[in-house]
Amino acid sequence: VLFMQENKYKEAIGFYEPIVKKHYDNILSVSAIVLANLCVSYIMTSQNEEAEDLMRKIEKEEEQMGYEDPERKIYHLCIVNLVIGTLYCAKGNFEFGITRVIKSMEPYSKKLGMDTWHYAKRCFLGLIENLAKHMIMVRDVVLQDCIQFLEHAELYGKNVACRIQPPLSSTTMHELQGKNTVTYEARLIKGLLLLVCDL
């Protein structure tokens, strides 16, 4: 609760830090959202070095686990980067935020999932909305990175559903065939981005 309240990041650190320090030797046993919230709290209190150290530790353990079990999907660093990217997008710094979101999804074959896509696309839709309203300007290189990301999402998202079929829905899965995929949504978002940016 403290984390969600403005300017209570120092208090939030007091709650998250003991949890992380207790499990520091096995950092991936800590919930990804706890790690993400601690990193954001560090960033919001200008303790960027601590956030970077924690992210390096997570990355190192994920790499080690990747060597031990190459097929296992691990989302800790992805979620941390998604949360940080979303924070920067929400604060209006879309260039850094979107870059962070794109970085969070690499490699796409392991990180692109229903939940990760949901949060990534929200940042892209926020970017498009602000561009359409002429509230922000973004460098061309960032727009090219966005288009490249959406093309990768289109490529790797063919078998990734965007939402779960509600049990009492009148729409059948057959009717949603092809439209309930990351591929479909990535194409739509890419089309919107191209339209808004006149590329």
Side-chain angles (χ1 to χ4, degrees), residues 51-187:
E52 288 173 17
D53 288 343
L54 182 57
M55 291 172 69
R56 279 192 287 273
K57 173 74 171 160
I58 297 166
E59 185 174 23
K60 191 174 164 186
E61 280 202 25
E62 279 191 4
E63 284 176 6
Q64 182 62 38
M65 195 165 283
Y67 292 130
E68 294 168 8
D69 186 2
E71 297 302 312
R72 185 170 176 190
K73 293 187 176 187
I74 308 161
Y75 293 101
H76 282 66
L77 191 61
C78 174
I79 291 169
V80 169
N81 278 313
L82 270 175
V83 169
I84 291 169
T86 302
L87 168 77
Y88 277 94
C89 288
K91 298 280 185 187
N93 187 347
F94 281 95
E95 284 197 11
F96 184 78
I98 289 290
T99 304
R100 206 60 161 175
V101 168
I102 291 170
K103 181 185 183 300
S104 76
M105 302 298 264
E106 295 170 355
Y108 300 99
S109 59
K110 290 189 175 195
K111 305 294 182 182
L112 188 61
M114 184 187 305
D115 293 331
T116 57
W117 172 249
H118 172 77
Y119 291 102
K121 76 179 175 187
R122 289 178 60 197
C123 292
F124 280 90
L125 292 171
L127 171 70
I128 291 168
E129 179 184 8
N130 280 281
L131 287 169
K133 292 178 178 177
H134 301 287
M135 294 174 68
I136 60 169
M137 291 186 65
V138 180
R139 291 178 296 137
D140 288 346
V141 68
V142 175
L143 294 173
Q144 292 301 326
D145 287 346
C146 291
I147 291 167
Q148 186 178 23
F149 167 79
L150 292 167
E151 287 172 350
H152 283 110
E154 187 179 333
L155 179 67
Y156 289 97
K158 290 178 184 165
N159 297 318
V160 180
C162 292
R163 56 195 164 279
I164 298 171
Q165 173 70 21
L168 302 175
S169 174
S170 61
T171 308
T172 65
M173 284 309 278
H174 181 69
E175 292 172 320
L176 287 176
Q177 195 70 30
K179 292 185 178 180
N180 187 29
T181 63
V182 169
T183 295
Y184 179 78
E185 287 190 354
R187 281 185 191 146

Side-chain angles (χ1 to χ4, degrees), residues 9 30 46 70 123 175:
Y9 296 107
V30 178
S46 300
C123 292
E175 292 172 320

